Each structure stands twice: as structure tokens, then as C-alpha cells.
Amino acid sequence: ANFEKFKVSAEENTMVRVKVAVPCAAGCALGIICFILSGTIYIPGYPPTWYPLFSLLIALFTPLPFIIGNCACSESTYQNEGLGMSWAEFFTALIGISAFGINFIFARVGLVWWLGFGLSSGGLALIIISLVLFGAFFKSND
């Protein structure tokens, strides 16, 4: 097969990366705005609370196991790179799901109203989707 027509220059590759990075950054910013709104919007009978920001704090630690796995599982260090990265992906997913879970627990106990739960969960989903797309697109080493 002739794949020469699909090759792009370095300048075009940089431009495409910028076009992907800007929406990912906007998604993260919109997610953080949703978190802030989930704690500050006033509804009669429910005082404003900052408890949803605890799940944002947990979400900041979500990529940490994956970053440590990428640093520790180099070809020169371990022969079986797949096992270390599997554990890193597992703990990354565990921390990400815990961020959603703590939102639900806060809403169920009554510390956060359900609209705040929806806003903070939606913001968390935007942040995680943006980071996953950003990481998947920029994974190549070129």
C-alpha cells in the first residue's frame, strides 16, 4: 500500500497538536468552573459548601500512578514492562472512580445537594475525558 500521501510535515504536525491541545485545555477549564459552581450556587435550604472540591483534589492525584509507572517501567529497568503499567492503569482508574464515589457519598449523606453532585460529576467527567484525549494524542515520542 502507498502511504506516502498520509505523511505530514513537522509544521503541520505541530499545528494539528495545537488544534487538539486548545479544546482539551478548554474542557479542563470548563470542568473546573463546574466544580466551583457546584459549591457556590445558592439554593434555598442548602448553604453553599466547598465539599465538592475534595473530589477535585482527588482528581488531581489521578494521573500520579500512571506517571510513576511510565518513569519506573523503562526498558532498562524492568524486563516485564506490561505488568507494571497494568498496575499503574489499575490504580489510576481506582483513584478516578474514587473521585466520582466521594461526590456520591457527599450527596447521599446530605453534605452536598444533588445539583451540586451533578455539576461536580460533570466537571470531573470533562476533566478526565480531556486529560485522556490529551494523553492519547500526545503519546507518540516524535
Side-chain angles (χ1 to χ4, degrees):
N2 186 6
F3 294 110
E4 293 297 322
K5 62 182 177 180
F6 294 113
K7 290 188 177 183
V8 294
S9 66
E11 294 84 20
E12 291 174 339
N13 191 13
T14 303
M15 197 61 185
V16 168
R17 286 178 182 240
V18 169
K19 287 180 181 180
V20 169
V22 170
C24 288
C28 285
L30 187 60
I32 291 173
I33 289 172
C34 286
F35 267 108
I36 292 171
L37 287 176
S38 70
T40 58
I41 292 178
Y42 177 73
I43 292 180
Y46 291 97
T49 180
W50 290 100
Y51 285 117
L53 291 180
F54 283 115
S55 60
L56 180 62
L57 182 67
I58 294 172
L60 291 176
F61 290 113
T62 300
L64 191 62
F66 198 70
I67 292 170
I68 292 171
N70 277 334
C71 293
C73 294
S74 66
E75 291 178 15
S76 62
T77 308
Y78 295 109
Q79 296 295 327
N80 190 1
E81 181 179 342
L83 182 62
M85 287 309 295
S86 294
W87 279 105
E89 291 168 358
F90 170 75
F91 282 114
T92 299
L94 181 71
I95 294 171
I97 291 171
S98 297
F100 282 106
I102 199 161
N103 277 337
F104 181 76
I105 290 171
F106 285 157
R108 184 72 176 108
V109 171
L111 292 174
V112 176
W113 34 279
W114 286 100
L115 181 61
F117 164 73
L119 279 172
S120 61
S121 295
L124 184 62
L126 276 173
I127 290 171
I128 289 177
I129 289 170
S130 296
L131 291 177
V132 165
L133 289 175
F134 188 82
F137 190 77
F138 289 97
K139 191 173 185 173
S140 65
N141 294 331
D142 46 78

